[in-house]
Amino acid sequence: MRRMIPEEPGPEAPAAQEIAPVTAGERISSVDVLRGVALLGILLMNVVSFGLPEGAYADPTVAGGEKGANLAAWLVSQVLFEGKMRAIFSMLFGAGVVLLTSRAEARGGEGRIADIYYRRCLWLIAFGLAHAYFIWPGDILYGYGVVALLLFPFRRQSAKFLIVTGLLVLAVIVPKTIFEGRHLASLRARAQDVERAVARGRTPTEPQREALKEWAEKLKELKPPPADIAKEIRAHRAGYWTLFARRAKEVVSDESTLFYKYGFLDAAGMMLLGMGLLKLGVFSAALSPRFYQAMALLGYGIGAPINWYVGHLEIAGHFDPVGMFSAYATYDLGRLSVALGHVAVVMLICKAGALRFLTTRLAAVGQMALSNYLAHSILCVLLFDGTGFGLFGRLQRIQLLYVVLPIWAVQLLVSPIVLRRFRFGPLEWLWRSLTYWQRQPLRLT
């Protein structure tokens, strides 16, 4: 029998590292810069909802001015910003799913990552509900947390699978929007037929009266009358608890029926795309300059003309609600294309190492995205609602820039200062401590 000779002991296998929040050395600078750009761009759009009646966001004839510089501001935002910054933010959130889970698994934390991941999502949902009910109903955190609950099983899929799946999810929105637009046009036509019959002295039937009522309610929602606009303005200029009661009703609708009707597919599609694009190296500025140049030309070349054409159609139609709703069929193609154009430009700047004085500040803003996002809401609520200065409905659309630009300046100035002293922003620290169920070190040593 062959004698068994023990082998010399080899090097000891390294112990699995502790699963912990991402360190400064692990951060992808271009992702932080892009997140900062998206976050500041989101304020540019959200400020309209903070400062003007709800219907003015899409229809400048409701409030805020419909001519001159105000109309130009609306059109530029429709072409370049509206929905585009949210698309980038959503894609980056999806990219974060891959970054979080892949880093944890690389540290040997396969057994714990699901627990950490789902706790992270549930706390984000809690933050979103608190934000919506107590500060501002236009919250996106709740929706992101809900959609993210479904993304964990997709984390190891290929980039191709994720991108195709994301595009298919977004594509579902198109026929859905076309159907709803045609239903709205049919409803208006039936109501007009009933009105003509009544004018000729005929008594409407019960179904005809229902059609009239349904159209009147829909028109009131899409094109609110002056009395409703005045009521909304008075509510926003009232005390906190008056507005809280109004806000609670909005949140019940926005984060249930409306979210699952419109927002869920939007967020899910964009997040899946973001997961795939990260795996391709798009967000890490890892691809060639020629790739990003082609991506920018294609994105702007497709999206900007579509958005410009649709915007001019809406202006020519005097913002007819049926025409506006029908135009949404091209919405995701136009906004996704321009959003990818923006991504490409940011990646080109990062690859070239250009504008360092700005990109380092944008990266800090992006690294503190949660704190800065909620700071937007707190500052704008204090400025516009009756709890603070009561400026709601007092500024024109173009004048809202007087609010946006100082907030941008403050966050670009303060965020790097905070991160020179602390590991995270305050809410990032809280979220991570709750996610890992352990108090995280905050100060830099």
Side-chain angles (χ1 to χ4, degrees), residues 167-427:
L167 291 174
L168 288 175
V169 170
L170 292 174
V172 173
I173 301 173
V174 177
K176 184 173 177 290
T177 304
I178 292 173
F179 174 80
E180 292 185 8
R182 289 182 176 176
H183 171 72
L184 193 61
S186 173
L187 183 62
R188 178 170 67 177
R190 281 186 286 145
Q192 290 173 340
D193 289 341
V194 177
E195 289 171 350
R196 284 191 289 266
V198 170
R200 291 194 294 268
R202 296 181 182 175
T203 302
T205 64
E206 183 62 28
Q208 289 176 326
R209 282 195 293 268
E210 286 295 325
L212 273 177
K213 181 181 178 182
E214 186 180 353
W215 169 246
E217 291 174 350
K218 197 67 179 177
L219 185 61
K220 186 178 181 181
E221 174 190 337
L222 298 173
K223 204 84 166 176
D228 285 6
I229 295 172
K231 182 179 178 181
E232 183 179 354
I233 291 173
R234 285 195 303 271
H236 276 272
R237 294 178 186 170
Y240 178 82
W241 293 109
T242 299
L243 192 53
F244 177 85
R246 178 187 178 92
R247 187 166 55 239
K249 292 179 182 178
E250 291 181 31
V251 174
V252 168
S253 171
D254 292 349
E255 299 199 338
S256 57
T257 306
L258 291 179
F259 171 67
Y260 291 106
K261 190 174 183 180
Y262 299 111
F264 181 85
L265 291 176
D266 177 297
M270 290 298 175
M271 288 181 191
L272 288 165
L273 275 175
M275 294 169 74
L277 292 174
L278 180 84
K279 290 194 173 192
L280 284 181
V282 172
F283 294 142
S284 54
L287 305 179
S288 68
R290 182 171 294 181
F291 174 88
Y292 290 115
Q293 290 164 4
M295 181 176 164
L297 288 173
L298 193 62
Y300 292 138
I302 293 174
I306 290 174
N307 299 336
W308 181 269
Y309 177 71
V310 170
H312 277 280
L313 279 182
E314 293 180 6
I315 293 171
H318 303 289
F319 296 94
D320 170 62
V322 174
M324 290 175 66
F325 206 93
S326 299
Y328 289 154
T330 62
Y331 179 70
D332 279 305
L333 175 60
R335 79 183 183 110
L336 177 58
S337 299
V338 171
L340 291 175
H342 292 338
V343 170
V345 170
V346 173
M347 292 301 109
L348 284 169
I349 292 171
C350 291
K351 280 189 74 70
L355 303 177
R356 281 289 180 86
F357 70 95
L358 180 59
T359 56
T360 53
R361 296 182 181 279
L362 286 168
V365 171
Q367 195 172 334
M368 290 177 50
L370 181 59
S371 296
N372 284 321
Y373 172 70
L374 292 178
H376 291 171
S377 296
I378 293 169
L379 290 171
C380 288
V381 163
L382 289 174
L383 283 170
F384 291 109
D385 289 349
T387 310
F389 292 91
L391 295 178
F392 188 85
R394 299 187 191 278
L395 300 182
Q396 296 183 1
R397 187 177 295 265
I398 194 69
Q399 292 174 323
L400 294 173
L401 287 174
Y402 303 159
V403 174
V404 172
L405 296 178
I407 293 177
W408 282 1
V410 169
Q411 292 191 329
L412 287 168
L413 178 66
V414 171
S415 296
I417 295 174
V418 171
L419 293 177
R420 280 199 289 269
R421 292 164 173 79
F422 301 98
R423 298 174 187 271
F424 315 107
L427 287 170

